[in-house]
Amino acid sequence: MLGLVFTEFVELVEEKFSPEVADAVLTEVAPANGGAYTAVGYYPHEEMVGMVVALSGRTGVPVPDLIKGFGGHLLGRFAQAHAPMFARHDNFFDFVASIDGEIHVEVRKLYDRAALPRFSVVSRDASVMKLLYQSPRALELLAQGLLEAAAAHYGESVDVSHEPCDGPAGAGVLFTLARRGA
């Protein structure tokens, strides 16, 4: 998993909880690198899972809430760091439709070893988009947090739900993005 995800997670823990909680989580997980992550490094995703579980144990915040919240945090950071990429799209659905064909292409230019999930638009109309998420890491809650925050970034009210899917494009998670009031 890309180190940027790890560095952002540690920063989020420091901001939302405290540097002491971040240190305690890293001590409990005891990663091989001692918790010295770099944004351009690559680390086992199991370490991230361990950190989220340890944080949940220390704070009492359920793991799913932490993962979705982290997704929202990441989207905010991405929107700051890559504002032109977000500005190219007029609305949330157009932005989501660009994930694999534009955004992930750019990510791979910067991080050639990044193992990114796949996002395929299954169907779309003015009010509902169906999106197939496929990843061996099964981080659909992180994706949900990213999607919910992206909708908010574009000023849109969108309900985001998901369910397991085993269709012609393969197994994954099918997201339903429904604009409210549309």
Side-chain angles (χ1 to χ4, degrees), residues 159-171:
D159 292 319
V160 178
S161 61
H162 60 83
E163 61 187 342
C165 176
D166 192 13

mmCIF file with all atom_site columns, all heavy atoms in Angstrom, residues 159-171:
data_model
loop_
_atom_site.group_PDB
_atom_site.id
_atom_site.type_symbol
_atom_site.label_atom_id
_atom_site.label_alt_id
_atom_site.label_comp_id
_atom_site.label_asym_id
_atom_site.label_entity_id
_atom_site.label_seq_id
_atom_site.pdbx_PDB_ins_code
_atom_site.Cartn_x
_atom_site.Cartn_y
_atom_site.Cartn_z
_atom_site.occupancy
_atom_site.B_iso_or_equiv
_atom_site.pdbx_formal_charge
_atom_site.auth_seq_id
_atom_site.auth_comp_id
_atom_site.auth_asym_id
_atom_site.auth_atom_id
_atom_site.pdbx_PDB_model_num
ATOM 1  N N   . ASP A 1 159 ? -26.754 10.077  -1.512  1.00 0.00 ? 159 ASP A N   1
ATOM 2  C CA  . ASP A 1 159 ? -26.756 8.892   -0.653  1.00 0.00 ? 159 ASP A CA  1
ATOM 3  C C   . ASP A 1 159 ? -25.841 7.865   -1.282  1.00 0.00 ? 159 ASP A C   1
ATOM 4  O O   . ASP A 1 159 ? -25.947 7.574   -2.483  1.00 0.00 ? 159 ASP A O   1
ATOM 5  C CB  . ASP A 1 159 ? -28.174 8.322   -0.512  1.00 0.00 ? 159 ASP A CB  1
ATOM 6  C CG  . ASP A 1 159 ? -29.091 9.242   0.279   1.00 0.00 ? 159 ASP A CG  1
ATOM 7  O OD1 . ASP A 1 159 ? -28.628 9.796   1.292   1.00 0.00 ? 159 ASP A OD1 1
ATOM 8  O OD2 . ASP A 1 159 ? -30.255 9.402   -0.119  1.00 0.00 ? 159 ASP A OD2 1
ATOM 9  N N   . VAL A 1 160 ? -24.934 7.314   -0.482  1.00 0.00 ? 160 VAL A N   1
ATOM 10 C CA  . VAL A 1 160 ? -23.972 6.323   -0.954  1.00 0.00 ? 160 VAL A CA  1
ATOM 11 C C   . VAL A 1 160 ? -24.237 5.023   -0.219  1.00 0.00 ? 160 VAL A C   1
ATOM 12 O O   . VAL A 1 160 ? -24.189 4.978   1.005   1.00 0.00 ? 160 VAL A O   1
ATOM 13 C CB  . VAL A 1 160 ? -22.521 6.782   -0.704  1.00 0.00 ? 160 VAL A CB  1
ATOM 14 C CG1 . VAL A 1 160 ? -21.527 5.727   -1.160  1.00 0.00 ? 160 VAL A CG1 1
ATOM 15 C CG2 . VAL A 1 160 ? -22.253 8.127   -1.381  1.00 0.00 ? 160 VAL A CG2 1
ATOM 16 N N   . SER A 1 161 ? -24.542 3.980   -0.972  1.00 0.00 ? 161 SER A N   1
ATOM 17 C CA  . SER A 1 161 ? -24.731 2.658   -0.381  1.00 0.00 ? 161 SER A CA  1
ATOM 18 C C   . SER A 1 161 ? -23.946 1.647   -1.209  1.00 0.00 ? 161 SER A C   1
ATOM 19 O O   . SER A 1 161 ? -23.518 1.936   -2.320  1.00 0.00 ? 161 SER A O   1
ATOM 20 C CB  . SER A 1 161 ? -26.213 2.282   -0.338  1.00 0.00 ? 161 SER A CB  1
ATOM 21 O OG  . SER A 1 161 ? -26.753 2.242   -1.641  1.00 0.00 ? 161 SER A OG  1
ATOM 22 N N   . HIS A 1 162 ? -23.745 0.463   -0.625  1.00 0.00 ? 162 HIS A N   1
ATOM 23 C CA  . HIS A 1 162 ? -23.004 -0.556  -1.364  1.00 0.00 ? 162 HIS A CA  1
ATOM 24 C C   . HIS A 1 162 ? -23.453 -1.943  -0.944  1.00 0.00 ? 162 HIS A C   1
ATOM 25 O O   . HIS A 1 162 ? -24.010 -2.144  0.133   1.00 0.00 ? 162 HIS A O   1
ATOM 26 C CB  . HIS A 1 162 ? -21.493 -0.401  -1.186  1.00 0.00 ? 162 HIS A CB  1
ATOM 27 C CG  . HIS A 1 162 ? -21.029 -0.500  0.232   1.00 0.00 ? 162 HIS A CG  1
ATOM 28 N ND1 . HIS A 1 162 ? -20.790 -1.686  0.876   1.00 0.00 ? 162 HIS A ND1 1
ATOM 29 C CD2 . HIS A 1 162 ? -20.747 0.465   1.120   1.00 0.00 ? 162 HIS A CD2 1
ATOM 30 C CE1 . HIS A 1 162 ? -20.374 -1.454  2.094   1.00 0.00 ? 162 HIS A CE1 1
ATOM 31 N NE2 . HIS A 1 162 ? -20.346 -0.158  2.274   1.00 0.00 ? 162 HIS A NE2 1
ATOM 32 N N   . GLU A 1 163 ? -23.213 -2.897  -1.856  1.00 0.00 ? 163 GLU A N   1
ATOM 33 C CA  . GLU A 1 163 ? -23.540 -4.289  -1.602  1.00 0.00 ? 163 GLU A CA  1
ATOM 34 C C   . GLU A 1 163 ? -22.576 -5.168  -2.385  1.00 0.00 ? 163 GLU A C   1
ATOM 35 O O   . GLU A 1 163 ? -22.047 -4.743  -3.418  1.00 0.00 ? 163 GLU A O   1
ATOM 36 C CB  . GLU A 1 163 ? -24.980 -4.583  -2.023  1.00 0.00 ? 163 GLU A CB  1
ATOM 37 C CG  . GLU A 1 163 ? -25.243 -4.347  -3.505  1.00 0.00 ? 163 GLU A CG  1
ATOM 38 C CD  . GLU A 1 163 ? -26.708 -4.473  -3.878  1.00 0.00 ? 163 GLU A CD  1
ATOM 39 O OE1 . GLU A 1 163 ? -27.480 -5.051  -3.123  1.00 0.00 ? 163 GLU A OE1 1
ATOM 40 O OE2 . GLU A 1 163 ? -27.060 -3.980  -4.961  1.00 0.00 ? 163 GLU A OE2 1
ATOM 41 N N   . PRO A 1 164 ? -22.329 -6.382  -1.907  1.00 0.00 ? 164 PRO A N   1
ATOM 42 C CA  . PRO A 1 164 ? -21.456 -7.289  -2.662  1.00 0.00 ? 164 PRO A CA  1
ATOM 43 C C   . PRO A 1 164 ? -22.046 -7.553  -4.044  1.00 0.00 ? 164 PRO A C   1
ATOM 44 O O   . PRO A 1 164 ? -23.267 -7.549  -4.227  1.00 0.00 ? 164 PRO A O   1
ATOM 45 C CB  . PRO A 1 164 ? -21.454 -8.571  -1.839  1.00 0.00 ? 164 PRO A CB  1
ATOM 46 C CG  . PRO A 1 164 ? -21.947 -8.183  -0.482  1.00 0.00 ? 164 PRO A CG  1
ATOM 47 C CD  . PRO A 1 164 ? -22.828 -6.975  -0.682  1.00 0.00 ? 164 PRO A CD  1
ATOM 48 N N   . CYS A 1 165 ? -21.163 -7.775  -5.005  1.00 0.00 ? 165 CYS A N   1
ATOM 49 C CA  . CYS A 1 165 ? -21.604 -7.981  -6.383  1.00 0.00 ? 165 CYS A CA  1
ATOM 50 C C   . CYS A 1 165 ? -20.728 -9.042  -7.033  1.00 0.00 ? 165 CYS A C   1
ATOM 51 O O   . CYS A 1 165 ? -19.508 -9.008  -6.901  1.00 0.00 ? 165 CYS A O   1
ATOM 52 C CB  . CYS A 1 165 ? -21.490 -6.667  -7.149  1.00 0.00 ? 165 CYS A CB  1
ATOM 53 S SG  . CYS A 1 165 ? -21.880 -6.787  -8.899  1.00 0.00 ? 165 CYS A SG  1
ATOM 54 N N   . ASP A 1 166 ? -21.361 -9.955  -7.725  1.00 0.00 ? 166 ASP A N   1
ATOM 55 C CA  . ASP A 1 166 ? -20.623 -10.952 -8.494  1.00 0.00 ? 166 ASP A CA  1
ATOM 56 C C   . ASP A 1 166 ? -21.265 -11.000 -9.870  1.00 0.00 ? 166 ASP A C   1
ATOM 57 O O   . ASP A 1 166 ? -22.190 -11.751 -10.116 1.00 0.00 ? 166 ASP A O   1
ATOM 58 C CB  . ASP A 1 166 ? -20.692 -12.320 -7.802  1.00 0.00 ? 166 ASP A CB  1
ATOM 59 C CG  . ASP A 1 166 ? -19.710 -13.313 -8.393  1.00 0.00 ? 166 ASP A CG  1
ATOM 60 O OD1 . ASP A 1 166 ? -18.825 -12.888 -9.150  1.00 0.00 ? 166 ASP A OD1 1
ATOM 61 O OD2 . ASP A 1 166 ? -19.830 -14.512 -8.094  1.00 0.00 ? 166 ASP A OD2 1
ATOM 62 N N   . GLY A 1 167 ? -20.785 -10.138 -10.745 1.00 0.00 ? 167 GLY A N   1
ATOM 63 C CA  . GLY A 1 167 ? -21.415 -10.006 -12.059 1.00 0.00 ? 167 GLY A CA  1
ATOM 64 C C   . GLY A 1 167 ? -20.464 -10.311 -13.186 1.00 0.00 ? 167 GLY A C   1
ATOM 65 O O   . GLY A 1 167 ? -19.368 -10.837 -12.971 1.00 0.00 ? 167 GLY A O   1
ATOM 66 N N   . PRO A 1 168 ? -20.842 -9.943  -14.394 1.00 0.00 ? 168 PRO A N   1
ATOM 67 C CA  . PRO A 1 168 ? -20.031 -10.246 -15.575 1.00 0.00 ? 168 PRO A CA  1
ATOM 68 C C   . PRO A 1 168 ? -18.645 -9.599  -15.549 1.00 0.00 ? 168 PRO A C   1
ATOM 69 O O   . PRO A 1 168 ? -17.714 -10.106 -16.145 1.00 0.00 ? 168 PRO A O   1
ATOM 70 C CB  . PRO A 1 168 ? -20.859 -9.729  -16.743 1.00 0.00 ? 168 PRO A CB  1
ATOM 71 C CG  . PRO A 1 168 ? -21.980 -8.970  -16.175 1.00 0.00 ? 168 PRO A CG  1
ATOM 72 C CD  . PRO A 1 168 ? -22.069 -9.262  -14.711 1.00 0.00 ? 168 PRO A CD  1
ATOM 73 N N   . ALA A 1 169 ? -18.512 -8.491  -14.859 1.00 0.00 ? 169 ALA A N   1
ATOM 74 C CA  . ALA A 1 169 ? -17.212 -7.818  -14.775 1.00 0.00 ? 169 ALA A CA  1
ATOM 75 C C   . ALA A 1 169 ? -16.351 -8.387  -13.651 1.00 0.00 ? 169 ALA A C   1
ATOM 76 O O   . ALA A 1 169 ? -15.237 -7.942  -13.431 1.00 0.00 ? 169 ALA A O   1
ATOM 77 C CB  . ALA A 1 169 ? -17.412 -6.322  -14.567 1.00 0.00 ? 169 ALA A CB  1
ATOM 78 N N   . GLY A 1 170 ? -16.891 -9.353  -12.901 1.00 0.00 ? 170 GLY A N   1
ATOM 79 C CA  . GLY A 1 170 ? -16.146 -9.960  -11.803 1.00 0.00 ? 170 GLY A CA  1
ATOM 80 C C   . GLY A 1 170 ? -16.723 -9.590  -10.453 1.00 0.00 ? 170 GLY A C   1
ATOM 81 O O   . GLY A 1 170 ? -17.655 -8.799  -10.344 1.00 0.00 ? 170 GLY A O   1
ATOM 82 N N   . ALA A 1 171 ? -16.142 -10.191 -9.418  1.00 0.00 ? 171 ALA A N   1
ATOM 83 C CA  . ALA A 1 171 ? -16.606 -9.940  -8.055  1.00 0.00 ? 171 ALA A CA  1
ATOM 84 C C   . ALA A 1 171 ? -16.111 -8.576  -7.580  1.00 0.00 ? 171 ALA A C   1
ATOM 85 O O   . ALA A 1 171 ? -15.048 -8.114  -7.979  1.00 0.00 ? 171 ALA A O   1
ATOM 86 C CB  . ALA A 1 171 ? -16.105 -11.035 -7.122  1.00 0.00 ? 171 ALA A CB  1
#
